[in-house]
Amino acid sequence: MAFVLVATTLVIYGWTVYSQQLWSQSYRKLQTLQRDERQLTTTIEVLKNKMAQEAQKPAAGLVSPSPASAIFLPPAPEDSSSLPSTTTSESNFQPQQQDSAPIGY
């Protein structure tokens, strides 16, 4: 009976130590991932700020969007089950009227 109690105690102690080690490893990994996430977030925001500053310079050549420079796309087909053909010949291609709203509006 004493042998069973000692063996059970050692098994429980070993399991406790092992589970604490696993928890410590997982917690360190979590802390590393959180630190990396903060660094990535900071880097992304710095890059966004730098791109915004560069875009404001006149030498960048960027212009404000206007309706005159908008791109118009034809409306999607109403039948969503039909896929567009990959072998479209020029003889059956008919340009559609572009009376839809511009992208972004």
Side-chain angles (χ1 to χ4, degrees), residues 12-89:
I12 291 173
Y13 175 75
W15 178 76
T16 304
V17 170
Y18 179 71
S19 65
Q20 287 177 349
Q21 287 176 347
L22 284 178
W23 186 88
S24 295
Q25 289 173 355
S26 298
Y27 187 71
R28 279 193 299 271
K29 185 175 180 179
L30 173 65
Q31 286 179 325
T32 302
L33 289 172
Q34 287 175 336
R35 185 189 71 234
D36 292 347
E37 180 185 23
R38 287 190 300 270
Q39 289 175 344
L40 283 173
T41 302
T42 303
T43 303
I44 288 170
E45 292 304 318
V46 167
L47 288 173
K48 282 182 185 178
N49 187 29
K50 183 173 179 157
M51 287 175 24
Q53 289 176 352
E54 290 292 324
Q56 290 177 351
K57 292 181 181 178
L62 298 176
V63 294
S64 297
S66 67
S69 64
I71 299 174
F72 294 90
L73 296 175
E78 291 183 22
D79 185 13
S80 62
S81 64
S82 67
L83 297 175
S85 175
T86 57
T87 57
T88 305
S89 66

